[in-house]
Amino acid sequence: MRAQKKLSDKALQIHGGYGYIMEYPIAQSFTAARLLTIFGGTSEIMRETIGRAL
């Protein structure tokens, strides 16, 4: 999740304004990465949960 968000952020910077037009795959990827972060929980909580399970 973290890598996907980081890569989509960099790609958005490269594409500029086109990165915000939903017809382009980069905008769809950026939106998906952001939603996964929100729905999946924060990275800190996920690491804590995995740490407890181990």
Side-chain angles (χ1 to χ4, degrees):
M1 244 188 311
R2 210 160 114 194
Q4 181 186 10
K5 184 177 178 305
K6 186 177 179 180
L7 286 172
S8 64
D9 284 340
K10 285 187 184 267
L12 189 69
Q13 290 294 319
I14 291 169
H15 291 292
Y18 288 113
Y20 293 103
I21 301 172
M22 288 307 289
E23 286 81 21
Y24 288 91
I26 185 59
Q28 296 166 7
S29 174
F30 180 74
T31 304
R34 296 291 292 161
L35 288 175
L36 281 175
T37 303
I38 293 168
F39 290 132
T42 64
S43 299
E44 303 298 323
I45 293 172
M46 296 295 276
R47 282 190 218 123
E48 189 175 315
T49 304
I50 292 168
R52 284 187 193 154
L54 293 174

